[in-house]
């Protein structure tokens, strides 16, 4: 089983690994576009106004431009450590020990606008690029990633169950045939349900932790739901679609 996570806009700074080596990352089929995107981001960083527009950031976020300018020289961290924020706080992979930590390293992956697909231990620098970013003179990232990323995801899903926790824009970079998909809904006192926005990430992080560290090896949506329920989550299944129901 692979638990496919969304990335985060926020990323941990620094690192203790050498600068990124694209030939050392998993899924080498993605190297050509990874290289092109790094080249484009480094070049774009020389034009801060254009960079702000492409990345949808403000002057107060110019440190993100500096990160992109240094992409080729920056130290790296394992992908699962690089990303931060609500989902990754709930996942709390650093607190896992022993066999649970090993299972998590093998099962966790991240969908990335810059790298396409990363396994947990792939070493990457801090960067700024979102699925919705539009680099000058280029098609949207979904159009660029799909021809390369979808065959990689299809081959992976032919061997292992994928639980796709990515948000819509990142799922659009590469669809996964047969994946188990998850939504989070809040149930109100009168029984009606609404989409959970911010805390959606926290609930998905808790689910990712349960799945990544479980001794069981889920092979379908039913067994994924069973692991979630064992972790105390209220889960409903409709085919390959799971709904985590939380109190409003």
């Amino acid at each position: 089983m692979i638990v496919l996570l969304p990335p985060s806009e926020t990323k941990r700074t620094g690192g203790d690994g050498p600068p990124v080596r694209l030939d050392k990352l998993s899924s080498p089929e993605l190297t050509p576009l990874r290289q092109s995107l790094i080249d484009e981001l480094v070049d774009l960083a020389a034009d801060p106004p254009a960079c702000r527009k492409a990345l949808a950031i403000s002057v107060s976020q110019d440190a993100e431009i500096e990160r992109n300018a240094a992409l080729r020289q920056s130290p790296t961290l394992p992908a699962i450590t690089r990303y931060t924020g609500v989902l990754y706080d709930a996942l709390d992979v650093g607190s896992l020990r022993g066999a649970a930590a090993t299972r998590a390293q093998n099962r966790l992956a991240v969908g990335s606008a810059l790298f396409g697909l990363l396994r947990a231990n792939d070493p990457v620098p801090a960067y700024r690029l979102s699925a919705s970013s539009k680099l000058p003179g280029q098609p949207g990232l979904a159009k660029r990633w799909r021809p390369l990323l979808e065959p990689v995801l299809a081959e992976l899903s032919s061997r292992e169950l994928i639980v796709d926790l990515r948000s819509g824009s990142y799922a659009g970079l590469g669809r996964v045939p047969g994946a188990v998909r998850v939504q989070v809904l809040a149930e109100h006192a009168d029984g009606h349900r609404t989409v959970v926005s911010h805390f959606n990430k926290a609930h998905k992080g808790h689910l990712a932790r349960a799945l990544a560290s479980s001794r069981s090896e889920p092979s379908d949506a039913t067994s994924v739901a069973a692991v979630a329920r064992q972790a105390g989550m209220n889960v409903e299944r409709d085919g390959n679609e799971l709904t985590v129901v939380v109190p409003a």
Side-chain angles (χ1 to χ4, degrees), residues 16 108 180 186:
D16 54 12
L108 293 171
V180 174

Side-chain angles (χ1 to χ4, degrees), residues 9-225:
E9 295 288 4
T10 57
K11 298 172 184 69
R12 190 165 282 107
T13 58
D16 54 12
V20 65
R21 285 276 306 274
L22 296 183
D23 60 330
K24 299 296 184 181
L25 299 182
S26 59
S27 303
E29 306 94 324
L30 306 180
T31 298
L33 186 50
R34 290 167 171 167
Q35 184 63 67
S36 294
L37 290 172
I38 288 176
D39 291 344
E40 291 167 32
L41 287 177
V42 171
D43 290 345
L44 185 60
D47 185 347
C51 196
R52 293 184 200 113
K53 180 178 180 181
L55 302 180
I57 60 176
S58 65
V59 173
S60 65
Q61 296 172 289
D62 275 0
E64 303 282 6
I65 299 177
E66 295 170 9
R67 281 183 170 185
N68 284 355
L71 267 171
R72 298 191 188 102
Q73 296 83 35
S74 295
T76 55
L77 283 172
I80 202 62
T81 306
R82 176 65 71 190
Y83 297 101
T84 61
V86 174
L87 186 152
Y88 289 88
D89 287 345
L91 170 61
D92 193 17
V93 72
S95 69
L96 296 174
R97 296 290 182 269
T102 300
R103 285 191 290 268
Q105 295 298 325
N106 291 332
R107 290 174 176 174
L108 293 171
V110 181
S112 164
L114 179 55
F115 297 103
L117 178 67
L118 294 167
R119 301 305 293 261
N121 284 324
D122 279 334
V124 292
Y127 66 91
R128 180 64 177 241
L129 185 69
S130 304
S132 58
S133 299
K134 181 66 166 62
L135 298 179
Q138 297 289 347
L141 289 172
K143 188 172 183 179
R144 300 179 72 182
W145 269 119
R146 281 179 185 167
L148 289 176
L149 184 56
E150 288 191 344
V152 170
L153 292 171
E155 195 277 333
L156 186 61
S157 68
S158 72
R159 295 184 284 109
E160 302 191 67
L161 176 70
I162 296 183
V163 181
D164 192 352
L165 301 183
R166 296 175 299 169
S167 57
S169 59
Y170 283 94
L173 298 182
R175 294 156 294 193
V176 187
V180 174
R181 293 172 293 276
V182 179
Q183 65 172 338
V184 182
L185 296 180
E187 187 167 76
H188 297 258
D190 63 2
H192 86 279
R193 294 175 175 180
T194 55
V195 175
V196 175
S197 53
H198 179 70
F199 288 106
N200 166 67
K201 296 178 181 179
H203 294 296
K204 286 187 174 180
H206 290 306
L207 176 59
R209 181 182 176 88
L211 293 171
S213 59
S214 174
R215 290 187 178 91
S216 64
E217 188 67 54
S219 58
D220 55 24
T222 299
S223 49
V224 170

